[in-house]
Amino acid sequence: MAWFRKPKTRLQATDRRDLPGELWEKCPNCSEILYTQKLKENWNVCPNCAFHLRLSADGYVALLTDEGSFAEADRDLRSADPLGFVDLKPYRDRLAAAERKSAHGDAALTGAGTLDGIPVELGVMDFSFIGGSMGSVVGEKLARAGLRALEGRKPLIIVSASGGARMMEGIFSLMQMAKTSAVLAQMQEAGVPYVSLLTDPTTGGVTASYAMLGDLNLSEPNALIGFAGPRVIEQTIKQELPEGFQRAEFLLEHGMLDDIVDRRQMKAYLSRTLRHMLGLPASETLRAPEAA
């Protein structure tokens, strides 16, 4: 009965369905396969194990500010090449390539907005721009944000994500540590609140300056925070480092952080904290979601 038999034909390349690769993402912690859109709706926090994947600078702006309230400042500032630096390729070429990938022109996004109705100055570092390295423009943007906060007596929030000072600018980059720290000292004397939020990773000169100078130093879970790499430290002190060294939980245990906050609860946490600092009544609208 030949008519009941289905002829076997090999699949051709044209028969395969091409699925976009950006539809799914694998959690680095629990290996769960996650639907990208659902992950974005959960602020890049794995719904299975609560692992915090990295969030873009624009993502933090959306997370922390009220919808439509953020106005970017100093968006036309661009890095120069004062040293004519060349390694594998000229620094100017690196800047041009990074600018094509980023909408912010450098590794810091600054501006003003409201957080649960509270006017704030916000600075967010963009790790996708040369590893979030701190060059002259980053320091200038954050210093200007601090001065605007000081003038308007508004809280300043800086979200750090950086590999440290930008070596291609040499001493010009290192001087940004002093510049930003001086502005924060003025804010402290004037009693204007500054909240530092450290995310994965925050290292180098950023950790050694404004990232650890907050009136309140917060971190996301399991964030890498440190100055030098663990291998360099081990070689210097000639001792084996404890497990979890340079992770947020270790720093909290040893008094270098004030708290570790789930990203999904961050806005509500900051709202309560800033209202307490400013002597404002408690919010009736914003409540933190349940942590996974």
Side-chain angles (χ1 to χ4, degrees):
M1 305 292 288
W3 58 84
F4 288 113
R5 295 176 188 167
K6 186 176 180 179
K8 294 182 178 180
T9 56
R10 292 188 177 182
L11 287 174
Q12 303 297 319
T14 54
D15 296 330
R16 297 175 183 172
R17 295 184 180 181
D18 293 327
L19 295 176
E22 64 274 9
L23 283 179
W24 307 96
E25 193 159 344
K26 184 178 180 180
C27 175
N29 184 58
C30 67
S31 300
E32 184 81 5
I33 303 300
L34 306 169
Y35 183 40
T36 302
Q37 184 59 37
K38 291 293 183 183
L39 188 61
K40 288 181 179 178
E41 292 172 2
N42 205 40
W43 300 110
N44 272 21
V45 178
C46 175
N48 185 54
C49 67
F51 181 82
H52 284 49
L53 287 81
R54 289 177 184 169
L55 187 63
S56 67
D58 290 319
Y60 279 108
V61 170
L63 172 72
L64 297 177
T65 59
D66 301 331
E67 186 175 357
S69 69
F70 183 76
E72 186 178 354
D74 303 317
R75 64 181 306 160
D76 295 328
L77 288 183
R78 294 292 185 274
S79 290
D81 184 14
L83 304 179
F85 189 92
V86 179
D87 50 1
L88 295 178
K89 61 181 179 180
Y91 178 40
R92 289 185 180 275
D93 292 349
R94 291 190 184 278
L95 285 172
E99 285 184 27
R100 286 194 293 269
K101 296 178 182 178
S102 173
H104 308 305
D106 214 291
L109 168 63
T110 59
T114 60
L115 187 156
D116 192 25
I118 305 169
V120 297
E121 287 289 334
L122 179 65
V124 184
M125 300 199 69
D126 184 359
F127 192 77
S128 67
F129 194 104
I130 314 183
S133 51
M134 177 182 61
S136 301
V137 167
V138 171
E140 181 66 18
K141 278 190 169 187
L142 295 179
R144 290 187 185 186
L147 291 174
R148 288 193 298 270
L150 184 61
E151 182 180 0
R153 297 198 64 82
K154 298 185 293 184
L156 171 66
I157 302 171
I158 295 180
V159 182
S160 297
S162 175
R166 190 174 298 172
M167 66 174 188
M168 293 81 101
E169 295 186 21
I171 191 63
F172 296 97
S173 173
L174 295 177
M175 286 304 297
Q176 306 312 308
M177 298 169 64
K179 178 196 289 185
T180 53
S181 299
V183 172
L184 294 177
Q186 295 179 51
M187 290 182 60
Q188 185 181 37
E189 291 176 4
V192 178
Y194 164 48
V195 177
S196 176
L197 171 57
L198 295 85
T199 69
D200 183 74
T202 301
T203 58
V206 171
T207 306
S209 55
Y210 57 84
M212 299 298 287
L213 292 177
D215 298 308
L216 185 68
N217 292 328
L218 304 176
S219 174
E220 293 181 339
N222 201 44
L224 174 65
I225 302 168
F227 179 64
R231 193 173 302 174
V232 174
I233 297 173
E234 285 185 332
Q235 292 173 352
T236 302
I237 66 175
K238 308 301 181 184
Q239 292 183 18
E240 185 177 345
L241 298 173
E243 186 178 353
F245 180 75
Q246 291 187 327
R247 291 292 171 178
E249 290 73 14
F250 186 91
L251 271 68
L252 178 64
E253 183 180 348
H254 289 79
M256 298 189 69
L257 291 174
D258 295 303
D259 208 350
I260 297 174
V261 185
D262 187 292
R263 184 182 296 157
R264 295 162 293 181
Q265 298 179 333
M266 190 65 71
K267 186 176 182 180
Y269 185 102
L270 289 175
S271 173
R272 291 193 305 271
T273 303
L274 292 178
R275 288 178 183 279
H276 176 74
M277 288 179 168
L278 300 170
L280 299 175
S283 173
E284 296 294 333
T285 59
L286 192 62
R287 286 181 170 80
E290 292 295 327

